[in-house]
Amino acid sequence: MSIVDDIENFSDMLERSWKEREYNSIKARNIIISGMGGSGIVGLITKKIMEEDGNKIITTWNEYGLPNWADNDCHLICVSYSGNTAETISSAVEAEKRNIEWEAITTGGELNSYASDKEKEVVIIESGHQPRAALPLLLIPVLKKLDIMNIDKQIEDAINACNNIQEYHNNGASAGIAKRMMNKNIHVYGSGCGEVSAYRWKCQIEENAKQKVHWNRLPEFNHNEIVGWENAGENNFVICLRDNDEDENMFKRWEHTQELIWKNTDVFVAKSGTIGESTTTLGKILELIHLGDWISLELAKNNNIEPEPVKVIEELKKRIG
């Protein structure tokens, strides 16, 4: 299945993953989620949801091995769509050395073989997709395992929001936004739920449209990078991903930032809940993510680029071995 088909079926994939099976709950409070690239975004989304609606401590891990402090009070979830991600496999190996309980979510590969050999739980998900387009398949098992408050309501909200984004795309809106981005220096900024979504936009535009993107988050941006915009030059396109229910402090930061440094810059603002009509943490994040997925594909089309191949990543893997 092509990446375009996968993005078009995003909400269907989300609903199917939600309904097709149940999972064993994880009781540990300290959870480490190991994953890279399209699999790694799962940890960031889960961390944000848990900060807003949960009672567990989530650490995202995008390195080899494990953090020095990790011990057998932790529970490790290894997320690798291919099952052959070197960094994620090394996390599993390190967990075995430290007697840390762990499990895997994958389509197969070395991770599945290693987990099966060690008699660890493995969630085998549907194969045949680009890892970055298989987000619902990777995300839903993690969310259901962690007993997040109102998760059924949140998933239903996310499905509805993504359906609304699909309609927004079908009406030509994402193509219009992508047209404004052509041949520009792209900067994506986020706050609240938009912070995670902004990072996903960066990754999707870079992989699908093969165009470099700068990313940051507010309010941290206001304490350093804002000064750099005094000499940022022209030919910039700024994307601001915000929450529609942001508090007064964040509202002021966004509005005054735009007035101070982006008065003469083309700026696109998307607030979660305004297009997709989401109301929950998961819905807000996935609403903005789905919008970014479509815009990245439209930009690839404008750039006359095939979105699926990531040749330099594959070449790097060959060289590393």
Side-chain angles (χ1 to χ4, degrees):
M1 186 174 290
S2 74
I3 195 168
V4 175
D5 291 334
D6 281 335
I7 299 306
E8 193 166 60
N9 294 320
F10 189 92
S11 59
D12 291 338
M13 193 185 296
L14 192 62
E15 185 170 14
R16 190 172 73 249
S17 301
W18 172 37
K19 292 181 176 179
E20 69 180 6
R21 55 176 145 166
E22 296 300 320
Y23 302 94
N24 295 327
S25 296
I26 296 173
K27 302 304 180 185
R29 186 160 186 260
N30 293 311
I31 310 294
I32 302 171
I33 302 178
S34 172
M36 307 297 297
S39 301
I41 191 69
V42 169
L44 294 175
I45 295 171
T46 305
K47 179 179 172 66
K48 175 55 71 173
I49 293 172
M50 197 62 70
E51 288 171 354
E52 299 292 331
D53 306 309
N55 59 5
K56 296 183 187 294
I57 300 168
I58 304 294
T59 299
T60 59
W61 189 249
N62 314 107
E63 304 277 355
Y64 288 96
L66 287 172
N68 185 62
W69 51 260
D71 57 23
N72 57 15
D73 287 333
C74 301
H75 188 104
L76 171 68
I77 306 174
C78 294
V79 183
S80 170
Y81 186 78
S82 69
N84 296 315
T85 309
E87 298 92 333
T88 309
I89 294 170
S90 76
S91 294
V93 172
E94 186 63 26
E96 276 294 309
K97 291 179 182 177
R98 301 191 203 178
N99 197 31
I100 295 171
E101 194 58 47
W102 67 278
E103 58 188 271
I105 299 172
T106 183
T107 60
E110 293 181 31
L111 181 61
N112 177 43
S113 298
Y114 184 68
S116 299
D117 181 61
K118 299 300 180 181
E119 298 183 339
K120 300 299 180 182
E121 182 176 346
V122 183
V123 175
I124 298 294
I125 61 172
E126 183 179 290
S127 61
H129 308 276
Q130 286 283 340
R132 61 189 184 276
L135 175 56
L137 303 176
L138 295 162
L139 177 63
I140 294 301
V142 175
L143 298 183
K144 295 187 83 169
K145 282 174 170 289
L146 296 181
D147 296 327
I148 296 168
M149 182 174 61
N150 297 326
I151 189 59
D152 287 350
K153 177 184 176 182
Q154 294 209 43
I155 294 173
E156 184 176 357
D157 180 55
I159 292 168
N160 291 334
C162 290
N163 282 331
N164 290 336
I165 291 297
Q166 184 69 45
E167 184 176 348
Y168 182 75
H169 163 74
N170 291 343
N171 290 334
S174 57
I177 297 163
K179 188 175 182 180
R180 291 162 58 187
M181 297 164 65
M182 286 186 65
N183 303 313
K184 295 288 184 70
N185 300 314
I186 301 172
H187 308 262
V188 186
Y189 302 104
S191 64
C193 293
E195 177 183 324
V196 178
S197 306
Y199 181 71
R200 167 76 170 194
W201 278 54
K202 165 187 164 62
C203 297
Q204 290 293 82
I205 293 170
E206 289 178 335
E207 290 194 62
N208 292 339
K210 281 66 176 177
Q211 191 165 335
K212 186 72 184 71
V213 179
H214 173 72
W215 167 84
N216 207 338
R217 60 187 184 272
L218 268 70
E220 177 63 21
F221 168 93
N222 292 148
H223 296 270
N224 36 63
E225 187 185 330
I226 189 172
V227 182
W229 273 88
E230 292 179 5
N231 295 297
E234 300 178 354
N235 204 39
N236 296 299
F237 185 83
V238 171
I239 299 159
C240 303
L241 303 183
R242 301 166 57 176
D243 285 342
N244 66 337
D245 57 353
E246 64 195 6
D247 64 23
E248 185 178 358
N249 287 327
M250 285 309 305
F251 175 81
K252 287 180 178 179
R253 284 189 176 277
W254 278 112
E255 297 301 311
H256 288 299
T257 295
Q258 188 164 342
E259 177 66 23
L260 282 167
I261 62 173
W262 295 327
K263 282 189 296 186
N264 300 313
T265 301
D266 192 0
V267 178
F268 170 68
V269 178
K271 291 187 177 183
S272 61
T274 56
I275 301 173
E277 300 180 0
S278 58
T279 59
T280 65
T281 306
L282 178 62
K284 292 175 182 178
I285 293 171
L286 292 187
E287 171 186 335
L288 293 176
I289 279 179
H290 195 40
L291 175 61
D293 286 353
W294 273 122
I295 289 173
S296 73
L297 293 177
E298 289 294 336
L299 185 58
K301 188 188 301 183
N302 293 344
N303 290 344
N304 198 27
I305 292 288
E306 284 293 327
E308 292 192 27
V310 284
K311 294 178 182 178
V312 69
I313 294 177
E314 297 305 323
E315 178 61 26
L316 180 63
K317 288 179 181 178
K318 289 179 184 177
R319 294 189 181 197
I320 293 173

